[in-house]
Amino acid sequence: MGEGGSLPTMDLMRSEPMQLARIIIPMESAHRTISYLGDLGLFQFKDLNSGKSPFQRTFATQIKRCGEMARKLRFFKVQMMKAGLLTLRSAYGSEISLDELEVKLGELEAELIEMNTNTEKLQRAYNELLEYKLVLQKAGDFFHHAQSSATAQQRESEEHHLVEGSMDSPLLLEQEMTTDISKQVKLGYVSGLVPRDKSMAFERILFRTTRGNVFLKQNVVEEHVVDPVQGEKVEKNVFVVFYSGERAKNKVLKICDAFGANRYPFTDDIGKRYQMITEVSGKLSELKTTIDVGTLHWSSAVQAIANQFEQWNNLVKKEKSIYHTLNALSFDVTKKCLVAEGWCPVFATTQIQKALQRATVDSNSQVGAIFEVLHTKESPPTYFRTNKFTSAFQEIVDAYGVAKYQEANPGLFTIVTFPFLFAVMFGDWGHGICLFLATLFLILREKKYSSQKLGDIMEMAFGGRYVIIMMSIFSIYTGFIYNEFFSVPFELFGRSAYDCRDPSCRDATTIGMIKVRETYPFGVDPIWHGTRSELPFLNSLKMKMSILLGVAQMNLGIVLSYFNAKFFQNDINIWYQFIPQMIFLNSLFGYLSLLIIVKWCTGSQADLYHVMIYMFLSPTDDLGENQLFWGQKYLQILLLLLALVAVPWMLIPKPILLKKQHEERHRGQAYAPLQSLDENIDSDSEYKSHDGHEEFEFSEVLVHQLIHTIEFVLGSVSNTASYLRLWALSLAHSELSSVFYEKVLLLAWGFDNVVILVIGIIVFIFATVGVLLVMETLSAFLHALRLHWVEFQNKFYEGDGYKFSPFSFALVSEEEED
Amino acid sequence: MGFFVTTLTFIVIGIIACLCTRVCCNKGPSANLFHLTLVITATVCCWMMWAIVYLAQMNPLIVPILSEGE
C-alpha cells in the first residue's frame, strides 16, 4: 500500500493503519491475557478453528458451564420480576471467581426452587380448605331448608294419612306400612364446588346419565374462588347431588371428576358441621401465617440476589466471551501454548504489549507472550477513531457501506455538508431555534440518558443528537438567508432595496416596485414575502442555487477520487479517469454554473435553457440576444468538443493499460523471489494463499469500464437534476410554514375573540411541531442523506470494506442488552 | 456593503474561527488539520449560500408586485 507522500495525515480521512499480528501465549496465562486484551478492546481475533464444529472445540465444556450459569441467572431474573424488583447497576461488590459463582448459583437455585414448590403446595392446600369451608357453609343451608320443608310436608301428609286411614280397611293400611319400610332406601349424597360456566352442562349430563334419578341442588357463591388446581379466581357454585344405589354413585363421581368439580365430605349433623367449620377456620389461619412467612423468606432471598445480580451477570457474560475467544485460538499441543492471530491498529502495539506483559506477571508464568507482526496481502478491516461527536456521522456513512481499507472517508466532509444540505431544505430560523433547544436539552442530559434504556425512537434521536444540533445551527443560518421566521420576514440587516416608482404607489400592484437602493446585504429582501411575483423569483433563485451547490459537491467528489488515486499510486486512474471526468462534468455543468453567475452579474435577459439546448443541437448558430459575453459561441464549441473527447478518453485507454500491466506483472512470474528461510511454515502457506494467480479477462474489464463510463456520463445529467430536490423541499417547507401562519394564526387573530385565538394558537403549535418540525425534519434528513449516498459518493467511494470489530467487553455487554 | 466587502468579512470570520479552534482544541497535527478542514468547509458553504442569494438580487429581472389589499 502506498503512503500519503507529501500530504500530511488527517484524522478520519483514511482508516488507521492496521497490521496482522500473531500472539503466542503460554497456557497458564491464556485466560488472563485474553481478559486484559478484552479490557483494552483493540484486537480483533481471527477464528483459527473455523473448520471445527462448536462441540469439537477445546473449551466447549467451559462454555456449557457458562451457559448453565446464564440459564440460572435468567431464572433468577424471572423471580426478581415476579417480586417486582429492579436490578441495581452496582459495579462494586466482592471479587468472585467463576467456580465459586457456579457453586453459589447452584445453591441459590435449588433453594429458590424448593421454596417455590413448598409455597405452591401450601397455597393449594389453603385454597382447598377455603372451598371446603364454603361447601360446609352453603350446603348446610340446603339441608336446613330441606329439613324444615320436609318436616312440614311430613306433618301435612301424616295428618292427611291419619284422616284417610280411618275410612280404609285395616288390611290396606298394613300393606302400605310394609311398603313404606321397604321403600326406605338409603340416599347417598355428594357435595362440592363446580365452576359456574359448567354448571348447566353438569346438571344436564347428571340428569341424562342417571335417567333423572338424582336430585341436584345448586347454590351460587358470590365472590370469586381461587381454584386450587389452576390457581386462578373462578366463579363457582356449591352443589349437592343426592343419588341412590352404587351404580349411580360411580356415575356421579366420574362426572364430577370430568367437570373438574372438587368434592368435599359433608355431614348433615349440625353439631359436627359447626365443629368442622371451626376446625377448618383454624387450619386456614395457620396455613396463612405459614404461607406469609414463606413468602417473606422468598422475597428476602430474591432481594439478596438482586443486589448482586448485575455483577454476576457481567461476570458470566465476560467469561463466556473469553472462552469463545479462546476457542478461536489454535492449540499448539506440542509447544504447550495457544496461538492467536488477528488485526490490530499499528498505534495500539505498545498498549497490547504492555497488556501481555501484565498478564504474564499476574499469572506468575515463566514464559512471556510473544507478539509478532505478520505480512499479508489480505485486506485489513477499516478502523476510524471517532469520538461521540463524529461517531454519529461515521455511522451514517457506514450504513451505506464501510470504507475500503485506507480509501478516503466521505464522513469527513459529511460532518459539515450533511447538516448544510439539510438546512438548505429546511431554512427557517424559528424552526431552527426550536430544534436547537430540543437537542440542547438532550445533550445537557447526556449522562443520564446514556445509562438508561430508552425506547426505539428516543434511542435513535438521542444517538443522533450531535447531527441534529449541527442541522439546527445551519438551519438558523439559512433561515436568516431565506429571511423566514415561521415564514415571517424581518428587516434585520438594513433597509429593503425596493421602493415604489412614485410617491403615490399607484403601480405597486400592477407593474411593481423598482430597486432604488443597494441590494439587501444579507439574504432575501424582506419585501418579497406575500407579493404576487414572489414564487417566480424564489423558484428561479432556488433552482439555480441547487445547481450551483450540486455541481460544487460533485466536483468535490471527483477531487476526492484524485486523492484516492494518488494515495494508492494508481496513475492510470489519475490520467484516464479523474481528468476526463473533471473535463466532462465541468465543460457541461460547470459551464452552466458559469452562465448562471454571469447572467446574475450582468442582469442579462438571456434564456439559459435555450443556450444549453442549442449548444448541443446547433452549436455553430449565432446566439443573438442570448449572448452573455464576447466569444461565447467559440467557447461553447470548444467545450462541446472537449466533452465529446472525454467520453472515449474515459472508456478505452484504461482497459488496454490494465491489460499491459497484467502482462508485465506475470511475465516476470517465472523468476519468483526465494522465500526467506526465517519465516516459519505457517506464514509461508498464508503468503502463498494470499498471492493468488489473478485472472484477467480483457472483455470483463472492458465491459466494467463501459458500465462505469455510461454511469458517469448519464449520471452527470441525472445527478445534477437530482440536486433540484434542494429547491423542491425548501419550497414545500416555506409554503407549509406560510399556510400555517396565515390560515391558522392570522385567521384566529382576525376574529378578535380570545377563545378562538387560544384554539388557533394551539392548532398552530400542533401543526408546526407535527408537520414542520417532525415530518419535514425527517423528510429533509432523508433527502440530504440520499444526496450524500448517491450523488456525492458515487463519484469516488467504493465502500466494500469491513469494519474493525475488536474483542472488547464494553461491546459484548452492549450487544446482549436486548 | 458591497459584494467584495462581505466576502472579505466571511474570509476574516473563517480565519478567526480557525484560530479559535487551534487555540481551544490543540490535539496534535492530524487532529488540527481535521478541525481546519471542517472550519474551512463550513465557511465555504456558508459563503456560497450568501453569495448566491446576493448575486441573484443584484440585477433583478423580476420585481416585486404587491398583492391587492396589502
Side-chain angles (χ1 to χ4, degrees):
Chain A
M1 296 292 159
E3 296 227 328
S6 54
L7 299 167
T9 51
M10 193 190 323
D11 253 6
L12 221 65
M13 173 73 169
R14 296 184 193 280
S15 160
E16 299 286 327
M18 309 288 284
Q19 61 194 5
L20 184 66
R22 175 187 292 159
I23 309 180
I24 305 180
I25 319 170
M27 274 309 286
E28 328 64 274
S29 47
H31 187 273
R32 210 173 277 270
T33 315
I34 304 291
S35 174
Y36 290 162
L37 283 178
D39 283 329
L40 187 62
L42 281 173
F43 196 88
Q44 175 180 343
F45 287 93
K46 269 170 86 168
D47 191 359
L48 296 170
N49 296 327
S50 49
K52 292 200 196 154
S53 77
F55 301 105
Q56 289 172 320
R57 301 204 186 198
T58 329
F59 296 93
T61 37
Q62 306 292 337
I63 293 190
K64 246 189 271 179
R65 270 174 74 195
C66 290
E68 254 302 297
M69 284 198 271
R71 182 195 61 79
K72 289 190 185 127
L73 283 170
R74 278 196 296 274
F75 171 69
F76 292 153
K77 183 138 199 187
V78 168
Q79 299 300 309
M80 285 196 294
M81 285 205 292
K82 244 206 304 186
L85 292 170
L86 297 165
T87 58
L88 306 163
R89 290 200 179 229
S90 55
Y92 52 76
S94 54
E95 283 291 315
I96 185 169
S97 84
L98 197 67
D99 300 317
E100 283 169 23
L101 184 63
E102 200 177 6
V103 168
K104 196 161 186 181
L105 287 180
E107 278 171 15
L108 283 170
E109 191 193 18
E111 204 182 310
L112 274 182
I113 290 182
E114 200 186 319
M115 275 197 270
N116 280 348
T117 37
N118 283 346
T119 315
E120 235 175 282
K121 266 193 261 173
L122 286 173
Q123 196 71 36
R124 193 174 170 157
Y126 182 76
N127 290 331
E128 278 181 2
L129 279 177
L130 265 181
E131 287 198 336
Y132 189 27
K133 190 171 174 186
L134 275 170
V135 169
L136 286 173
Q137 285 170 339
K138 296 280 177 183
D141 287 339
F142 292 161
F143 277 86
H144 193 69
H145 247 18
Q147 266 186 349
S148 51
S149 58
T151 40
Q153 268 185 11
Q154 209 175 21
R155 234 179 282 130
E156 264 184 46
S157 67
E158 270 181 10
E159 283 172 14
H160 203 74
H161 211 69
L162 281 169
V163 167
E164 286 197 7
S166 57
M167 295 180 53
D168 283 359
S169 58
L171 207 64
L172 276 167
L173 203 64
E174 264 184 47
Q175 273 190 334
E176 278 180 23
M177 290 286 291
T178 44
T179 44
D180 271 357
I181 294 170
S182 60
K183 273 188 193 147
Q184 267 182 11
V185 185
K186 209 158 182 222
L187 276 183
Y189 60 87
V190 164
S191 58
L193 286 163
V194 69
R196 195 172 299 165
D197 41 354
K198 295 189 192 161
S199 59
M200 286 309 298
F202 185 58
E203 205 172 328
R204 233 181 297 140
I205 293 204
L206 269 177
F207 191 79
R208 283 202 206 127
T209 48
T210 53
R211 286 168 222 186
N213 283 336
V214 294
F215 176 66
L216 169 74
K217 185 119 170 78
Q218 291 195 38
N219 203 348
V220 173
V221 177
E222 292 83 23
E223 46 320 308
H224 292 236
V225 180
V226 182
D227 187 60
V229 174
Q230 294 163 356
E232 287 170 7
K233 287 206 170 207
V234 186
E235 286 186 336
K236 290 206 177 184
N237 288 350
V238 175
F239 69 89
V240 181
V241 179
F242 294 92
Y243 54 82
S244 61
E246 201 55 36
R247 273 231 214 113
K249 177 180 176 184
N250 290 336
K251 282 189 195 158
V252 168
L253 289 178
K254 273 202 200 135
I255 293 171
C256 284
D257 286 334
F259 274 84
N262 305 320
R263 287 174 289 111
Y264 297 100
F266 187 80
T267 48
D268 44 0
D269 185 355
I270 291 188
K272 248 198 189 170
R273 214 188 310 142
Y274 278 126
Q275 197 193 5
M276 290 299 296
I277 288 183
T278 37
E279 222 178 276
V280 166
S281 303
K283 267 201 210 153
L284 272 176
S285 56
E286 247 179 58
L287 268 180
K288 187 112 184 76
T289 37
T290 318
I291 290 177
D292 284 338
V293 167
T295 314
L296 205 65
H297 191 157
W298 175 82
S299 46
S300 67
V302 174
Q303 177 72 44
I305 292 177
N307 286 338
Q308 302 198 300
F309 181 78
E310 198 62 36
Q311 187 204 2
W312 289 345
N313 210 9
N314 286 341
L315 182 65
V316 170
K317 269 195 253 178
K318 205 166 143 173
E319 289 293 319
K320 199 165 179 191
S321 63
I322 292 181
Y323 283 116
H324 270 300
T325 314
L326 280 173
N327 264 343
L329 311 181
S330 72
F331 194 19
D332 226 353
V333 183
T334 50
K335 298 176 195 170
K336 287 208 191 122
C337 56
L338 287 166
V339 178
E341 227 180 71
W343 297 101
C344 67
V346 171
F347 70 79
T349 312
T350 39
Q351 289 173 317
I352 293 179
Q353 282 171 331
K354 273 208 200 112
L356 293 175
Q357 274 171 7
R358 230 172 9 114
T360 312
V361 165
D362 284 345
S363 57
N364 301 323
S365 154
Q366 276 97 0
V367 191
I370 305 174
F371 179 88
E372 58 169 320
V373 177
L374 302 171
H375 293 286
T376 173
K377 284 201 177 175
E378 239 178 83
S379 175
T382 314
Y383 180 52
F384 291 110
R385 268 199 284 190
T386 52
N387 52 28
K388 66 183 178 190
F389 177 73
T390 53
S391 65
F393 293 100
Q394 191 60 42
E395 261 173 43
I396 290 178
V397 171
D398 283 344
Y400 181 76
V402 179
K404 198 175 77 166
Y405 180 62
Q406 299 235 298
E407 74 165 337
N409 177 24
L412 171 64
F413 291 100
T414 304
I415 297 177
V416 171
T417 55
F418 177 75
F420 177 67
L421 287 185
F422 171 88
V424 170
M425 294 191 267
F426 195 77
D428 184 316
W429 55 282
H431 299 151
I433 289 180
C434 293
L435 264 188
F436 180 75
L437 291 174
T439 24
L440 196 64
F441 172 74
L442 277 185
I443 291 184
L444 290 177
R445 290 260 186 290
E446 213 171 43
K447 283 215 176 66
K448 193 176 97 160
Y449 282 136
S450 59
S451 54
Q452 263 180 14
K453 191 151 172 60
L454 309 160
D456 270 332
I457 299 182
M458 258 316 267
E459 190 98 29
M460 271 198 279
F462 181 70
R465 60 196 183 282
Y466 287 108
V467 181
I468 303 178
I469 210 171
M470 288 286 278
M471 284 165 22
S472 62
I473 294 175
F474 275 103
S475 301
I476 297 178
Y477 178 77
T478 54
F480 281 121
I481 297 234
Y482 289 153
N483 218 338
E484 285 192 13
F485 176 79
F486 292 99
S487 90
V488 176
F490 287 102
E491 259 190 25
L492 291 172
F493 298 101
R495 292 171 67 192
S496 161
Y498 292 91
D499 214 339
C500 298
R501 282 166 206 271
D502 53 60
S504 62
C505 267
R506 276 178 297 122
D507 296 328
T509 51
T510 47
I511 313 178
M513 318 176 75
I514 51 167
K515 184 166 183 274
V516 294
R517 284 179 280 272
E518 278 185 2
T519 321
Y520 187 70
F522 192 85
V524 172
D525 203 302
I527 194 81
W528 286 104
H529 185 78
T531 58
R532 284 197 288 161
S533 54
E534 176 190 9
L535 275 181
F537 170 69
L538 279 183
N539 283 351
S540 157
L541 165 67
K542 287 183 179 175
M543 284 171 101
K544 291 177 177 155
M545 174 180 74
S546 312
I547 302 277
L548 289 171
L549 291 177
V551 171
Q553 197 179 27
M554 288 196 285
N555 270 315
L556 177 65
I558 303 183
V559 166
L560 280 179
S561 84
Y562 166 73
F563 282 115
N564 264 346
K566 189 123 184 275
F567 182 83
F568 293 118
Q569 287 169 346
N570 194 342
D571 278 337
I572 297 182
N573 270 359
I574 298 182
W575 287 109
Y576 303 104
Q577 202 158 299
F578 164 68
I579 292 193
Q581 281 184 348
M582 279 297 261
I583 292 180
F584 185 81
L585 187 68
N586 287 319
S587 62
L588 296 180
F589 297 100
Y591 178 61
L592 175 61
S593 313
L594 181 69
L595 286 180
I596 291 174
I597 296 179
V598 172
K599 180 173 175 182
W600 276 342
C601 288
T602 58
S604 130
Q605 296 210 343
D607 183 354
L608 292 182
Y609 288 121
H610 197 272
V611 170
M612 284 306 288
I613 293 174
Y614 283 90
M615 177 171 151
F616 286 91
L617 289 184
S618 37
T620 49
D621 267 5
D622 207 21
L623 288 163
E625 49 180 37
N626 286 331
Q627 178 116 3
L628 280 164
F629 51 86
W630 179 86
Q632 189 176 350
K633 185 169 88 170
Y634 301 105
L635 180 64
Q636 283 184 194
I637 297 176
L638 175 66
L639 289 176
L640 192 61
L641 284 175
L642 278 176
L644 282 174
V645 163
V647 176
W649 191 350
M650 271 190 262
L651 175 61
I652 306 203
K654 185 170 167 185
I656 299 180
L657 287 174
L658 280 177
K659 180 167 181 172
K660 263 205 209 138
Q661 239 184 24
H662 176 84
E663 276 168 10
E664 265 185 34
R665 211 184 299 148
H666 287 269
R667 202 183 307 144
Q669 191 145 70
Y671 314 107
L674 287 172
Q675 299 290 347
S676 109
L677 297 166
D678 291 272
E679 298 173 32
N680 55 20
I681 308 175
D682 289 281
S683 68
D684 213 32
S685 57
E686 261 173 27
Y687 193 76
K688 284 222 179 82
S689 68
H690 296 321
D691 177 55
H693 180 86
E694 291 144 20
E695 306 259 323
F696 188 85
E697 277 275 350
F698 181 70
S699 54
E700 208 178 290
V701 174
L702 187 63
V703 167
H704 180 90
Q705 195 61 24
L706 179 67
I707 293 174
H708 195 90
T709 308
I710 293 179
E711 196 185 5
F712 183 80
V713 168
L714 293 180
S716 66
V717 180
S718 84
N719 291 348
T720 311
S722 186
Y723 276 96
L724 287 172
R725 71 186 68 224
L726 294 174
W727 156 62
L729 263 97
S730 88
L731 177 68
H733 188 96
S734 79
E735 286 300 306
L736 276 173
S737 170
S738 127
V739 157
F740 288 144
Y741 179 73
E742 280 164 23
K743 302 287 183 245
V744 175
L745 210 57
L746 286 186
L747 196 66
W749 185 272
F751 274 97
D752 259 344
N753 185 343
V754 182
V755 177
I756 296 187
L757 184 64
V758 169
I759 295 178
I761 290 180
I762 292 178
V763 172
F764 176 73
I765 290 178
F766 272 100
T768 303
V769 170
V771 175
L772 289 172
L773 288 183
V774 173
M775 192 191 84
E776 272 289 311
T777 305
L778 286 173
S779 173
F781 183 98
L782 178 83
H783 284 284
L785 195 60
R786 178 253 156 74
L787 282 177
H788 276 78
W789 278 356
V790 179
E791 274 78 21
F792 176 52
Q793 288 182 215
N794 74 2
K795 302 286 177 288
F796 68 97
Y797 193 53
E798 286 184 46
D800 53 1
Y802 61 107
K803 209 166 168 182
F804 178 61
S805 51
F807 172 62
S808 155
F809 292 134
L811 292 177
V812 161
S813 60
E814 254 174 44
E815 258 172 43
E816 298 201 23
E817 282 288 308
D818 308 324
Chain B
M1 303 223 282
F3 180 75
F4 295 106
V5 178
T6 319
T7 305
L8 212 62
T9 318
F10 266 96
I11 295 177
V12 168
I13 294 178
I15 294 177
I16 293 178
C18 291
L19 290 174
C20 281
T21 40
R22 178 64 66 98
V23 164
C24 296
C25 354
N26 197 345
K27 286 186 192 143
S30 64
N32 281 342
L33 194 55
F34 170 57
H35 295 145
L36 194 72
T37 312
L38 289 184
V39 170
I40 291 180
T41 314
T43 312
V44 168
C45 286
C46 292
W47 171 79
M48 269 206 325
M49 183 92 187
W50 168 82
I52 289 170
V53 170
Y54 188 86
L55 285 176
Q57 292 182 104
M58 277 204 323
N59 301 303
L61 293 171
I62 310 175
V63 286
I65 303 175
L66 296 179
S67 55
E68 328 258 303
E70 280 291 318

